[in-house]
Amino acid sequence: MKTTQVTDGIYRLSANIEDVLFEDIWAIPNGMAMNSYIVKGDKAAIIDGVCDWDGVPETLYEQLDQMDLDVKDIDYVIMNHLEPDHSGWFKSFLKLRADVTVIASEKGVELVKHFYGYDGDVRAVKHGETLDLGDGRVLLFAEIPNVHWPETIATYDTKSKTLLPCDAFGSFGSVHDAMYDDQLTPEQVDFYEQEAERYYANIVGPFSPFVQRAVEKLADIEIKIIAPGHGIVWRQDPGKILNDYIRYASYAKGPAKTDVTVLYASMYGMTEMGVAPVVEGLESEGVKVHLHKIPETDWGDVIGSVWQSSGVVIGVPTYEYKMFPLMGALLEEIGRKKALYRKAFRFGSYGWSGGAQKELDEIMARNKTNWDFLEPVEFRGVPTQVDLDLIRRRGKELAVKVKGWVAQG
Ligand code: FEO
C-alpha cells in the first residue's frame, strides 16, 4: 500500500484487512480498508490508526517511511474513536515511542488508559476546541458521540476544510489503486455505495439518531473533503457520501427502498413451499425482492437487505414449541440493529402445538420494532393449495402496502 496525498499537508496511510470477520462477527467478503492520516503543520499529527493484527501496524510504519516521517517526529496521536480497529496499533507504537501526546474526547481518555495503560500526556478536548499545528494549520474538534461509540469525535482541518470523522461516512470494501472518489469508475462508485450501505446497516445502524445529530452539528462548517477511517476519501463530491448517510439513517424508521426482504428457514421443505408463491405475489406488484435462506446466508448480508427494504417476509416453522432458533437469533439481532417500522408478513409450518408465532410476537415486542404485520398464514405440515394461494395474496398485499408507504415518504 502506498502513502498518498489527500491534499496539501494531509497524507493517507491505509491497510486492507481480508479473510477475517470484522468485530469477529461481520463477514467482509470484499475486505475493508483501515485509514489513518498524517496532518502536517510545523508539527505533525497522526489521526486514527489501524488495528493490531499481524503485519498491519508494520504496514503503517512502512508508509511513514515512504513519506520520510519518523515516528519520533509525530507530535500528536489524535484518537477520534477508541475502537481497536483504529487504536489497536497504539500498543506497538508505544514500543517505538513512549512519550507522545494523545488527544481524545473526555470519554476517549478513559479508554486510552483502560485499553492501553498509557498514563503519559493524554489531553481531553471538548466540542469546538482547537489545536494549532503551526504553519496556519488549526484543527477543530467536534463531538459526534455514538458514531460509532460514545467517545467519538471528528477532527476538522480548518486550512484545507477536510473532515476526518473516523467511522462516520465509511464503508466496507478494500481500497487499492483508486482511493479517492475522483479516481473511481462509475462501477466502483456503485461498488462502494453497496459496501457503505452494508457497513452502515451492520455497524452504524443502531446509532442512526446520532448520525442525524452529527450531520446537524457539522452543518455549520464548510466541508471540501471527507476522509473517513474506512473506505474511499471523498474530495470531488463529499456531498455524495454525506447525503447517502442521511438516507441510510432515514431507513431506521423507514420507509426505505421499495424493496422487500424474504427470510426463510425450512427444516424439511414444508415452509419453503410458501416461498415461491410469496415471491410471485410480491413481484406481481413490481417490488424488488431480496431472498435469503437461513442459516445459509451470512447475517451481515441479511441485515444489509433488511435495512434497505421497507417490507420483510419471514417464512419460519415451529421448532420445540418456539421458532426455528437460528431465525429467532437473527431476528433478535435485526431488532438490536433497530431496523424499525417495516411492513411485514409471516408464514410457516407446524407439526403439533405451534409456537413460532408467539415467539415472533415476543421478539418484536421486546425490541420495540413497531413492525406492521399482515395476518400470518400457518399450516399444519404441508401447505394446501388454499394456503399457497393465500400466501401469494399476502405477498401482493404486502407489496401494495410497501409501495404506498414509500410513495407517501
Ligand atoms: Fe471502525 Fe467503530 O470502529
Side-chain angles (χ1 to χ4, degrees), residues 22-23 32-34 81-86 147-149 151-152 166-168 199 203-204 229-230:
F22 181 60
E23 295 182 341
M32 185 175 189
M34 306 282 162
H81 171 34
L82 265 291
E83 189 169 5
D85 56 322
H86 305 281
V147 192
H148 158 226
W149 281 5
E151 83 292 352
T152 312
C166 202
D167 276 353
Y199 167 83
I203 310 298
V204 187
H230 304 291

Side-chain angles (χ1 to χ4, degrees), residues 114-309:
H114 288 289
F115 281 10
Y116 303 107
Y118 184 61
D119 55 6
D121 185 15
V122 183
R123 298 185 195 170
V125 289
K126 289 193 168 70
H127 187 77
E129 273 191 46
T130 57
L131 174 71
D132 191 344
L133 295 180
D135 195 27
R137 194 168 290 279
V138 175
L139 301 180
L140 170 72
F141 301 105
E143 291 172 354
I144 53 167
N146 295 311
V147 192
H148 158 226
W149 281 5
E151 83 292 352
T152 312
I153 56 174
T155 301
Y156 175 71
D157 172 42
T158 56
K159 188 173 185 179
S160 64
K161 305 191 189 313
T162 300
L163 182 73
L164 302 112
C166 202
D167 276 353
F169 313 118
S171 79
F172 285 147
S174 289
V175 173
H176 299 286
D177 292 339
M179 301 180 171
Y180 298 89
D181 63 337
D182 46 281
Q183 299 170 337
L184 301 181
T185 63
E187 293 73 25
Q188 287 171 318
V189 171
D190 288 346
F191 168 80
Y192 285 109
E193 183 171 331
Q194 287 166 28
E195 290 291 302
E197 198 161 60
R198 192 163 46 83
Y199 167 83
Y200 186 96
N202 289 187
I203 310 298
V204 187
F207 309 103
S208 293
F210 295 95
V211 171
Q212 288 163 329
R213 268 174 238 163
V215 169
E216 286 164 15
K217 266 188 175 176
L218 298 170
D220 292 338
I221 59 174
E222 183 187 0
I223 298 172
K224 287 190 172 171
I225 301 172
I226 294 180
H230 304 291
I232 290 297
V233 171
W234 303 85
R235 62 185 180 187
Q236 177 175 275
D237 184 11
K240 151 107 178 105
I241 192 69
L242 196 64
N243 288 325
D244 282 350
Y245 260 62
I246 292 169
R247 181 164 54 86
Y248 303 154
S250 77
Y251 291 172
K253 291 187 176 176
K257 296 178 184 172
T258 318
D259 293 11
V260 174
T261 294
V262 177
L263 310 176
Y264 73 99
S266 191
M267 292 175 283
Y268 298 107
M270 298 175 200
T271 295
E272 189 167 7
M273 292 172 76
V275 171
V278 82
V279 170
E280 280 171 29
L282 291 164
E283 291 184 339
S284 72
E285 287 294 325
V287 301
K288 183 173 177 183
V289 173
H290 305 269
L291 184 62
H292 298 300
K293 187 162 195 276
I294 308 304
E296 283 83 342
T297 314
D298 174 75
W299 278 21
D301 284 340
V302 173
I303 291 167
S305 287
V306 170
W307 197 265
Q308 63 182 287
S309 296

